[in-house]
Amino acid sequence: MLHKKLEYPTSRRLVLFLAGLCGLVGLLIEHGTYPGEAALTTARVFSFLAVFFFLSEQLITYRYLGHFRSYLQDRWPTFSLSVLLILEMVGLVMGRNSTWLASVMDKIPTYNITNAYLLVIQVYILSVFAVQLPHMQQRFARWQVRPAIAFVLVFAALIIMGTGLLMLPRATPEHSPIHFLDALFTSSSAVCVTGLVVRDTGTGFTGFGQGVILVLIQLGGLGIMSLSATLSLLLGRGIGVRESSLLREVFHIPTMVEVGRMVRIIIFLTLSFELFGAVLLFQGLGSGPAATAELIPFSDRAFQAIFHSVSAFCNAGFSLYSDSLMGVAGNSLVMGTASILLIVGGLGFGVIIQVGAWLRGRMMDRNNLRLRLDLHSRIVLVASAGLLLGGGLLITALEWNQSLSGQSFFMKLSQAFFQSATCRTAGFSSMDLNLLSPATLFLMIILMFIGGAPGSTAGGVKVTAIAIVWANLRSVASGLNRVHLGRWEIEKVQVQRSMLVLSSGLVVAGAAIFTLLFTEKQEMLPTVFEVFSALGTVGLSLGMTAELSAIGRVLIIILMFMGRLGPLTLAASLVGRQAEPRVRFPKGRILIG
């Protein structure tokens, strides 16, 4: 059920926002630039102001709650940080070398803890403040922003923020600054979990820039709203009605009372899978044909494992290697782990949760025949398995004596099935796509257009829409007025939405292909491949991305944004729900076929 939120005074929200803003500016100056002495002093002043405002917010909260026990129960994480901050400030004022605090401060890494916590708290403060801003003034509350519009605005704001961070001096090598359009393209690709790049991620960005891309992938894959809601729950705050309404629409949660529980489960599953994948990738990157552990330092190897684990689970397709995963194609542990992560990430959180509940139920009571998956989960699992196996077999047959020739039997199968899985929005590549036959590339375009499941980190028109459209075509061809999938009848509105998703996707793709053929003067197949890769948020390319003109890059950015949000969300944000007209017009007949 929804957590009952305490109505704190507006002054507390303002102080909290100032703390986050000052801390963010201080961190950006110190870690995002190459600061001189004056700039470093300015950064420390902002950090000091952040600490001051943060402690002031804690004092306001304590005075509002009235009792220390209530304050400690409701704000114990921030109380712990407050104690560390006070010790840090006293130590700076009195001097660590000449006070009894020296031994204490040496044992407690308060500076690192403070910086790490501030880095996390800034994302939380700014995102929650953006959501709570309409509540601070009554005139803003009257706007009644629809969840679909809020979702679009949040993603647009995240892209703009990512663009600014990637343009910081320390985000790229010192003598290779990034242009605004390239930064905007990279940020859009990361937030939309696409993976198309105009600058090599491994060599074109520093560790700071790669970290920014990693955060953008995580926020874009899960949605910044779910993360801010989770931090709100962890810090003792509840989820309001507006936030719950938005999260319910994003993750297709049946009722608002389940939002809090579902958000906790989603974050737990995400971190668990990504941690599991990072551990396996860490082991895999130290063995096999890939670079050995002796060649990769521990910290770099750990970061590579974390980066590729998050990128795989979020179906982003970003890689720190210039050749994507072609260099580790023979490493079964790396490829197997990446395959599991991207397949599970493309199923959707609802399906994962229900499959887990079904497995637990079957283990506890194997004779209970009532333990069954619902229609949505069945369609997603059957369609995903069919596309994976069917696509893998077709790629194997088409490329057996072509690009796969000279490889072992197991290697041929693994390469084909990995490409079948990754072209459904993951974006990793384990083989040179330019060596594939036109028939294989056309098959990959179809798989890219279909994509993954609703409520997942994958893109495309979704497997459920394709299943409903197929069922509708079968019913129309049979002369039936109702659409059936198995023993279930599909509602008319779901059929209409599926047809809208499919038709709008084809229309947008057709218009984009025509425009790129006119502006880029490239061949037909690479252009079609590029458009469907962007619209399906896949990230695969035949080498056209880096050669795009400014107009072409802007168009690809728009396609990635549309593909991540989906036509239904965009339509709802632009049009909204229209009331059914009371006046009925006369029926007309049009010849078809």
Side-chain angles (χ1 to χ4, degrees), residues 111-128:
Y111 181 78
N112 294 331
I113 293 175
T114 302
N115 274 347
Y117 191 91
L118 282 175
L119 187 60
V120 175
I121 206 68
Q122 306 324 317
V123 178
Y124 162 68
I125 291 172
L126 295 178
S127 59
V128 172

Side-chain angles (χ1 to χ4, degrees), residues 1 15 77 102 116 118 169 173 188 272 280 292 299 334 337-338 361 382 386 414 504:
M1 59 184 298
V15 172
L118 282 175
S188 301
S272 298
L280 293 181
T292 60
S299 58
V334 173
T337 302
V382 172
S414 61
S504 60

